[in-house]
């Protein structure tokens, strides 16, 4: 079974960005070198999806790795269990991809 079926998650960059700002004590204005205040507000409200370049800039302003923002955006909450579940899903996906590359074909999903 594909790991994509193991986790049901809605991407919420706005929630993740807002939480990270609060934890770091960073205001929207503090992120202006990374992105405009209007853009940060729109991302947090869910009306704008950040590009990879924007995620990279925001992460720099928050002093975190860009993947931290992405991981939190995919977690239903910021609990250790939610993060661990996502890491296990990512690990499973990567193992599957490496195995497929090594053997030259996708693994059977068991649905045939």
């Amino acid at each position: 079974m594909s790991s994509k079926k193991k986790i049901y998650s809605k991407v919420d960059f706005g929630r993740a960005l807002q939480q990270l700002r609060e934890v770091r004590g960073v205001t929207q204005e503090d992120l202006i070198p990374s992105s405009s205040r209007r853009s940060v507000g729109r991302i947090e409200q869910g009306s704008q999806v950040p590009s990879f370049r924007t995620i990279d800039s925001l992460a720099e302003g928050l002093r975190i790795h860009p993947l931290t923002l992405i991981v939190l955006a995919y977690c239903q909450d910021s609990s250790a269990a939610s993060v661990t579940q996502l890491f296990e899903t990512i690990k499973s996906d990567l193992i599957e991809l490496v195995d497929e590359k090594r053997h030259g074909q996708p693994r059977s999903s068991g649905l045939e």
Side-chain angles (χ1 to χ4, degrees):
M1 175 163 92
S2 173
S3 61
K4 289 168 192 58
K5 296 182 188 215
K6 294 179 193 172
I7 188 164
Y8 301 98
S9 170
K10 180 180 176 190
V11 180
D12 192 347
F13 283 102
R15 177 195 43 79
L17 179 57
Q18 205 166 28
Q19 287 177 346
L20 286 166
R21 276 195 318 97
E22 289 172 7
V23 168
R24 291 290 191 188
V26 174
T27 65
Q28 288 182 346
E29 289 81 11
D30 293 334
L31 293 175
I32 287 176
S34 304
S35 190
S36 72
R37 183 179 184 283
R38 182 176 183 209
S39 180
V40 172
R42 292 171 112 187
I43 292 167
E44 288 185 353
Q45 293 167 4
S47 61
Q48 181 176 329
V49 177
S51 66
F52 284 116
R53 184 174 295 152
T54 300
I55 291 169
D56 198 44
S57 296
L58 292 169
E60 185 177 326
L62 291 165
R63 301 176 312 281
I64 60 171
H65 193 283
L67 289 178
T68 303
L69 177 55
I70 293 170
V71 166
L72 288 178
Y74 275 92
C75 290
Q76 293 295 322
D77 54 48
S78 298
S79 70
S82 182
V83 172
T84 299
Q85 180 183 11
L86 184 57
F87 283 156
E88 288 300 317
T89 299
I90 293 167
K91 179 181 174 182
S92 175
D93 287 345
L94 291 173
I95 289 169
E96 186 176 322
L97 290 168
V98 167
D99 191 45
E100 288 174 9
K101 182 177 180 184
R102 187 176 299 139
H103 295 98
Q105 59 187 2
R107 255 197 246 169
S108 172
S109 66
L111 299 176
E112 293 88 40

